[in-house]
Amino acid sequence: MIDPRHPGRAALAAAAVLLLAGPAFAARLSVELEGLDGPLREAALARLELAQYAQREVSPAQARRLYNRAEGQIQAALEPYGYYNVGVQGELKQSGDTFTAVLEVKRGEPVRVTDVDLRIDGQTEGIRAIDQARAAFQPRVGQPLDHTAYERSKATVSAALFGSGYLDATLGTHRVEVSRSSNAAEIDLVWNAGQRYRFGETRFEGGQFADDFMARYIPWEPGKDYYSQDQLLSFQQRLVDANYFAIAQVQPNVEAAADGLVPIDVMLAPAKRTVYTGGVFIGTDTGPGVRGGIERRWVNDRGHKLNFEALLAQRLSTVTGLYQIPLPGPDNHAYNFGATYRDEDTDTSQSKTLRLTANDSRIWHGWLRTVGVNFLTGDFKVADVEGSTTLLYPEISFAKKRADDLTFPRRGWSLTLAARAGAESVLSDTSFAQVTADAKWIRGLGDNSRFIARGSLGYTQVSNFDRLPPELRFFAGGDRSIRGYAFQTVGPRNGEDDVIGGKQLVVASAEYEYYFSQNWGAAAFVDSGDAFSGGNFDLKVGAGFGLRWRSPVGMVRVDLGTPIGDRHASGVELHIIIGPDL
């Protein structure tokens, strides 16, 4: 109790209460860090308690304690980057209610690796994944001792051992000796590889097909081939690509591994068996339209597939049916049987044709190879000349594409090569031979830009060009050809100046895209080329600008193009394309 007869005692008691309650006054902290930049600066600031208290109120005593711990914290933050002789100088300045910690860091020379002794006890020589992991180990001799790279490389070697069948591999010795006086470090690592396992029994659960059917997807021979993570991923990708399953998970049952064999467990869940699709679309080549389809992902217990699709647009209508017999295996082999009715009406030509197709498709040295035969019959009109045709011709094609991101590639390319031929003596109204090539190449420039190059080539030998239907003639102009010209308006002309199509095709395009936000961008392009016959090549050039939108349904491209240097053509053409880049 405070005595009213002694006011001095009352004052002392009040001061004691204030000291117990908190600091006499609150101050703010700020940090000025000099001598570091980039990741080193970020690491130091993340470790500094001074920086963490920058938005809090502190007492003078707290500020001094935090400042006194700063040197050790900066030194600890820089050691993972190889800097073991870091000097820190500075002062703690006070101005009113603000303390400023001024810290100057002299990081010195990094500790460098002088010896790396990496050993694996076991027969692992010649195994590609393990050899690559060893060869890529960092830090190497002469490099700074980067702890992050060291830990990452250790994990890579361990993963390579496991992924190559050494499921019991252990890291027995892992030692790094650092000499601060000589700025040197020695790395000593020893793995015990243990036994190398082979693939054991594969057990399927949850699928809709019998085990003997599913076994055709397995890319290894049980009991013979060594376990491989790459093979496991290949197996899983085959199951996903089959389009039968909503869930396809493949995992080794390590706990059940015995006698040098590791069983593989496959968890499956059937996908929806019948899929209905439909929607509206617009394309300046075809005009507005609607499309719909029915896909039967498996028709029977042998995994056969059936697909119907119909498209109705202003200038093009098609109805297609496809029956597929997959032959599971390492090459995605399948037999395909299809029929397509096509009704096309453009400013250049009109045609109504029926195409019957039977082919064999498979993966061949990384390419999708398709070999088959086509039967094409129907009526057509090009310019003012009417005709009809029946053609029976074999066809072969090779297609391949690579992309870092299929929805929006920054590094990618595609190439399709095709050849077809028919003989008048074998159910064809004319003899012909034709080859085509289509290519596209995409590269990112910086963080926000892309460069896209595109090209098409075609060549035809034909005994009677008038009997060749429009879909086997070459035209240029349109969304995917020379923008600035309308669809199929570039090509050889008759005496009435109507386009009749050509025997050869050369088209090239260059495009630059810049994205000013994640989903919106602008483009500038130049397209050139011609469809022609013989030596009558007449270069056409179109150029313009466009808008790009990465929509929820895919890339949308809206372009405005105009002919360049063509006294016979002028004006601006609108081109709209919806679909993937590759």
Side-chain angles (χ1 to χ4, degrees):
M1 179 178 291
I2 298 174
D3 189 344
R5 294 172 297 176
H6 298 281
R9 293 179 182 176
L12 289 173
V17 171
L18 287 173
L19 286 172
L20 290 173
F25 73 94
R28 294 283 185 181
L29 269 177
S30 66
V31 178
E32 294 180 5
L33 186 63
E34 301 174 357
L36 296 176
D37 55 16
L40 296 181
R41 178 181 177 84
E42 294 174 4
L45 289 173
R47 191 69 177 262
L48 269 177
E49 289 182 292
L50 278 168
Q52 299 169 16
Y53 276 79
Q55 302 302 321
R56 305 183 192 179
E57 294 182 346
V58 297
S59 69
Q62 284 179 304
R64 177 59 61 181
R65 285 197 299 272
L66 292 170
Y67 174 77
N68 289 338
R69 291 201 287 264
E71 181 178 4
Q73 291 166 357
I74 292 175
Q75 291 172 341
L78 298 188
E79 279 188 3
Y81 295 88
Y83 294 94
Y84 280 75
N85 294 298
V86 176
V88 181
Q89 296 179 341
E91 59 179 324
L92 184 64
K93 300 179 181 178
Q94 181 179 359
S95 176
D97 62 351
T98 300
F99 285 94
T100 301
V102 180
L103 301 169
E104 183 179 357
V105 181
K106 297 185 181 298
R107 60 189 181 184
E109 289 295 320
V111 167
R112 296 190 177 274
V113 177
T114 57
D115 183 58
V116 177
D117 188 5
L118 191 158
R119 302 188 304 280
I120 300 176
D121 293 338
Q123 301 297 319
T124 66
E125 297 293 334
I127 300 175
R128 182 178 179 183
I130 299 174
D131 290 344
Q132 288 178 338
R134 290 172 57 117
F137 190 92
Q138 290 184 338
R140 297 187 178 93
V141 173
Q143 292 181 333
L145 178 61
D146 187 325
H147 289 220
T148 301
Y150 168 75
E151 295 295 338
R152 183 172 59 245
S153 295
K154 280 199 309 180
T156 299
V157 174
S158 295
L161 286 165
F162 186 92
S164 300
Y166 295 95
L167 308 184
D168 302 327
T170 57
L171 180 58
T173 301
H174 48 101
R175 182 170 60 249
V176 179
E177 296 182 357
V178 176
S179 172
R180 295 177 184 269
S181 60
S182 58
N183 271 352
E186 295 181 356
I187 296 174
D188 187 14
L189 296 168
V190 181
W191 277 268
N192 180 16
Q195 182 181 13
R196 190 180 187 188
Y197 286 78
R198 301 175 190 269
F199 283 108
E201 177 189 6
T202 301
R203 297 175 290 209
F204 298 92
E205 183 177 344
Q208 66 269 44
F209 300 108
D211 287 356
D212 58 346
F213 174 86
M214 297 303 304
R216 294 187 293 173
Y217 286 93
I218 299 175
W220 59 77
E221 186 175 339
K224 181 178 179 181
D225 292 339
Y226 285 112
Y227 172 88
S228 164
Q229 189 73 21
D230 290 342
Q231 288 278 61
L232 215 63
L233 293 175
S234 175
F235 180 32
Q236 179 162 310
Q237 189 61 51
R238 288 184 189 180
L239 297 177
V240 172
D241 292 342
N243 203 28
Y244 296 131
F245 311 106
I247 297 174
Q249 296 180 347
V250 181
Q251 292 182 338
N253 190 340
V254 179
E255 295 181 356
D259 300 325
L261 300 176
V262 55
I264 306 299
D265 292 339
V266 182
M267 299 296 296
L268 302 169
K272 188 176 181 180
R273 188 170 187 177
T274 304
V275 179
Y276 301 91
T277 59
V280 298
F281 67 94
I282 184 171
T284 45
D285 288 353
T286 61
V290 296
R291 61 159 43 100
I294 302 174
E295 179 186 5
R296 190 75 163 168
R297 284 174 168 159
W298 67 94
V299 176
N300 49 38
D301 59 5
R302 296 182 298 279
H304 295 188
K305 297 173 178 287
L306 184 62
N307 185 44
F308 289 101
E309 185 177 29
L311 179 150
L312 178 61
Q314 180 181 0
R315 291 184 285 275
L316 176 66
S317 297
T318 63
V319 179
T320 300
L322 176 66
Y323 191 86
Q324 185 179 65
I325 303 176
L327 302 174
D331 54 0
N332 288 349
H333 194 188
Y335 295 131
N336 309 285
F337 304 91
T340 299
Y341 175 76
R342 179 185 181 93
D343 185 350
E344 187 172 26
D345 186 357
T346 71
D347 293 340
T348 302
S349 65
Q350 298 85 45
S351 64
K352 294 181 180 180
T353 58
L354 174 65
R355 180 195 299 268
L356 304 178
T357 301
N359 62 48
D360 174 305
S361 64
R362 65 177 68 196
I363 301 299
W364 180 78
H365 296 288
W367 293 77
L368 175 60
R369 187 189 69 183
T370 304
V371 180
V373 63
N374 295 273
F375 178 76
L376 177 67
T377 185
D379 301 321
F380 61 88
K381 180 180 179 182
V382 180
D384 292 329
V385 178
E386 296 184 359
S388 63
T389 191
T390 296
L391 298 173
L392 178 69
Y393 58 93
E395 183 175 36
I396 184 170
S397 67
F398 299 87
K400 189 174 185 178
K401 65 180 177 180
R402 291 287 183 268
D404 56 357
D405 182 349
L406 290 177
T407 59
F408 186 72
R410 290 182 56 78
R411 292 183 64 87
W413 59 272
S414 66
L415 178 61
T416 301
L417 307 172
R420 56 193 68 90
E424 195 169 348
S425 59
V426 186
L427 297 179
S428 294
D429 290 336
T430 185
S431 297
F432 79 99
Q434 187 177 83
V435 292
T436 61
D438 295 281
K440 198 169 187 179
W441 185 79
I442 300 174
R443 280 295 181 272
L445 303 174
D447 296 330
N448 304 312
S449 302
R450 294 194 306 172
F451 176 76
I452 302 175
R454 170 174 51 85
S456 296
L457 298 172
Y459 180 82
T460 306
Q461 284 274 19
V462 59
S463 60
N464 188 347
F465 184 77
D466 291 340
R467 304 305 295 270
L468 206 62
E471 60 190 89
L472 291 178
R473 302 185 187 190
F474 292 121
F475 300 88
D479 300 342
R480 294 173 173 83
S481 183
I482 306 174
R483 288 164 289 185
Y485 291 86
F487 182 56
Q488 291 190 349
T489 58
V490 175
R493 297 174 180 266
N494 61 13
E496 284 73 38
D497 204 36
D498 295 323
V499 178
I500 60 172
K503 300 178 184 178
Q504 288 92 40
L505 175 72
V506 176
V507 170
S509 171
E511 181 173 316
Y512 173 78
E513 293 181 345
Y514 177 79
Y515 286 82
F516 41 82
S517 71
Q518 182 176 359
N519 295 321
W520 289 92
F525 61 85
V526 176
D527 303 334
S528 62
D530 190 24
F532 58 101
S533 294
N536 300 318
F537 179 80
D538 183 12
L539 181 67
K540 302 293 191 301
V541 178
F545 300 91
L547 187 66
R548 300 292 179 265
W549 176 35
R550 297 175 62 185
S551 77
V553 297
M555 180 65 74
V556 177
R557 307 169 188 83
V558 180
D559 292 326
L560 294 175
T562 185
I564 303 296
D566 189 343
R567 67 178 185 274
H568 299 296
S570 61
V572 176
E573 287 287 335
L574 172 67
H575 302 275
I576 300 174
I577 310 174
I578 301 175
D581 289 305
L582 294 174

